[in-house]
Amino acid sequence: MSFLRTLFTFSCVVGGVAVLLSLDIFKHQREQLFSYIPKSLRDRLFGGSGIHSNDKLFTVVELEKYRGVDGSDIYLAVLGQVFDVTKGRKHYGPGGTYHFFTGNAGTRAFVSGDFTKEGLKEDLTGLSLQEIQGIAGWVDFYKQQYTYLGKLIGHFYDEHGNPTEALEEFKGRLVEAQKKQDEDNEDLRRFPPCNSETKVGISRRLWCTENSGGIKRDWIGVPRQYFQPGHSQARCACVRDSGPPSLGSGSSNNGDLDNPNLKLYDGCEPTATSCNFKD
């Protein structure tokens, strides 16, 4: 009897834990537990789908049924992920500003602005790194604001819910985009934008402060034309004019003034923190 009582108690505990872990608030813990299961066992238990057991797979034909017509629910897909946007019926329902996205697979249009039939497509070929980040931002938005339902079979997920080459390529470009953004942020930190003021037909002023360009620092710097690699036009940058250079191991005490991508503005004193130009 004691063995049966122990077995019954153990079963209740396991069952209770399983029910708790099925709740959304325990999603993180559930994913951690999934990661501890060997892949071979996961494949046997879950069919090698690469998705959680509560994910639903949609076809495009199924998705088209959910456009809010006659009071139906409203779904949309972005990057192969399907969301229920019914609570936003004012915007996504018939006559709404974003109705063209619903019941559709038009990831590209989220950043291209082409909402025609030709523009509402999944192919992301030729999009810039900034646009790739834009799509990731939209996915994050819908995850935070609406209910995630599952995955759309097609361009980004196959019939088993596994990522396709297109999704893996997107992930690779997103990593590239983040790296580029980090590099740009570092560049802005080294060469903050100048303050600028223009009086049309009269004068133009460029100057530096410890907070110019919205970048706080413990130095002011001097205005210079900065020809940033990869950009076609120069911009005004505040350049550190004392101490060692930001990059390299040079012995110079001129800050970053020796950078070959910098040029002094005509009519501006080399040591001036503010330059005035007549139009």
Side-chain angles (χ1 to χ4, degrees):
M1 286 293 292
S2 61
F3 171 75
L4 291 176
R5 186 161 49 249
T6 300
L7 181 61
F8 175 76
T9 301
F10 177 77
S11 299
C12 289
V13 171
V14 171
V17 171
V19 170
L20 286 174
L21 287 176
S22 68
L23 300 176
D24 286 342
I25 61 173
F26 292 103
K27 181 180 179 181
H28 177 67
Q29 289 83 351
R30 184 168 67 245
E31 290 178 345
Q32 282 190 318
L33 287 175
F34 267 62
S35 68
Y36 295 144
I37 302 174
K39 184 178 184 304
S40 58
L41 180 58
R42 288 204 308 269
D43 288 349
R44 290 202 302 273
L45 291 174
F46 308 108
S49 64
I51 59 175
H52 300 308
S53 57
N54 61 340
D55 272 2
K56 175 177 172 58
L57 295 180
F58 293 83
T59 65
V60 174
V61 174
E62 288 174 321
L63 188 65
E64 289 174 347
K65 300 175 183 177
Y66 299 96
R67 303 202 69 210
V69 178
D70 296 326
S72 70
D73 287 343
I74 309 171
Y75 299 170
L76 63 72
V78 55
L79 202 67
Q81 299 184 42
V82 180
F83 298 92
D84 183 342
V85 296
T86 306
K87 70 177 185 179
R89 185 179 297 275
K90 176 181 177 181
H91 305 290
Y92 295 97
T97 308
Y98 304 113
H99 182 60
F100 45 78
F101 281 127
T102 63
N104 212 331
T107 299
R108 188 184 187 91
F110 278 90
V111 293
S112 71
D114 183 355
F115 308 129
T116 65
K117 185 176 180 181
E118 292 73 25
L120 287 164
K121 58 185 179 181
E122 297 287 72
D123 181 23
L124 306 182
T125 303
L127 292 185
S128 68
L129 294 180
Q130 186 175 8
E131 289 170 327
I132 292 295
Q133 284 185 302
I135 290 173
W138 277 110
V139 174
D140 186 54
F141 167 78
Y142 284 110
K143 282 184 175 179
Q144 291 186 41
Q145 300 297 324
Y146 294 97
T147 302
Y148 167 79
L149 296 175
K151 298 189 169 61
L152 179 67
I153 297 172
H155 193 71
F156 296 109
Y157 292 94
D158 65 18
E159 65 273 16
H160 302 296
N162 292 313
T164 63
E165 286 188 15
L167 184 60
E168 295 303 330
E169 181 180 348
F170 173 86
K171 291 178 180 178
R173 294 207 68 203
L174 186 59
V175 170
E176 185 183 352
Q178 185 59 56
K179 181 180 178 182
K180 179 65 167 58
Q181 180 177 322
D182 291 342
E183 291 173 351
D184 287 345
N185 289 341
E186 174 61 20
D187 194 78
L188 283 173
R189 186 192 66 79
R190 282 198 300 131
F191 300 119
C194 307
N195 293 312
S196 177
E197 179 184 55
T198 300
K199 295 180 179 179
V200 180
I202 301 175
S203 65
R204 181 186 181 210
R205 181 188 174 208
L206 300 171
W207 76 100
C208 298
T209 66
E210 291 183 345
N211 194 31
S212 55
I215 299 175
K216 295 183 179 181
R217 52 195 186 275
D218 58 4
W219 51 274
I220 296 176
V222 293
R224 290 290 188 273
Q225 295 182 70
Y226 176 40
F227 295 86
Q228 184 179 356
H231 293 253
S232 59
Q233 293 184 330
R235 67 173 175 85
C236 184
C238 292
V239 182
R240 205 162 46 82
D241 57 348
S242 65
S246 300
L247 299 177
S249 56
S251 57
S252 168
N253 196 42
N254 297 326
D256 290 316
L257 288 178
D258 296 328
N259 188 301
N261 296 317
L262 299 172
K263 181 181 178 182
L264 180 66
Y265 281 99
D266 292 337
C268 186
E269 291 295 325
T271 59
T273 60
S274 178
C275 299
N276 292 278
F277 310 93
K278 291 184 179 180
D279 275 3

